[in-house]
Amino acid sequence: RNVTGVQTCALPISDLSDKSIDQLQDTMSGLYKKLTFAQRTGNGPLVQQLNMVLESYKKEYQKKIDVMIKKQNIEGQVRISK
């Protein structure tokens, strides 16, 4: 799609809940590289799209980390009470 002479692409945001923490980290790393390139080349529309996608990945990543921490705390409490 061409908007005011700037090439943009639609980045689909699929359901991220099935991705592992490692998969989320790998994808975010690649997205950050693309974001840096888009910023350096002045591609504002792509910067906005990448930021939206990254926000979704960061939220899912944080959810998974929170669950992992909660699970570790529960397991730690069970071990202490034995």
Side-chain angles (χ1 to χ4, degrees):
R1 191 170 130 197
N2 197 340
V3 179
T4 62
V6 177
Q7 185 69 30
T8 62
C9 64
L11 298 171
I13 302 174
S14 59
D15 181 20
L16 302 176
S17 63
D18 61 336
K19 297 199 180 297
S20 70
I21 289 175
D22 288 338
Q23 290 172 319
L24 291 169
Q25 286 176 323
D26 289 345
T27 302
M28 286 190 297
S29 176
L31 289 169
Y32 278 117
K33 289 176 186 175
K34 291 177 183 181
L35 178 61
T36 299
F37 179 79
Q39 289 170 332
R40 287 182 181 166
T41 58
N43 191 336
L46 185 56
V47 168
Q48 290 176 336
Q49 286 182 343
L50 288 166
N51 278 324
M52 287 190 305
V53 173
L54 274 164
E55 189 63 32
S56 296
Y57 273 83
K58 288 190 279 186
K59 284 180 183 178
E60 187 61 36
Y61 178 82
Q62 190 60 52
K63 279 187 213 175
K64 290 190 182 294
I65 293 294
D66 291 345
V67 167
M68 187 175 72
I69 289 170
K70 185 176 180 181
K71 183 178 177 184
Q72 287 177 348
N73 285 340
I74 291 172
E75 288 174 357
Q77 290 172 3
V78 171
R79 282 192 214 119
I80 291 170
S81 64
K82 285 186 176 182

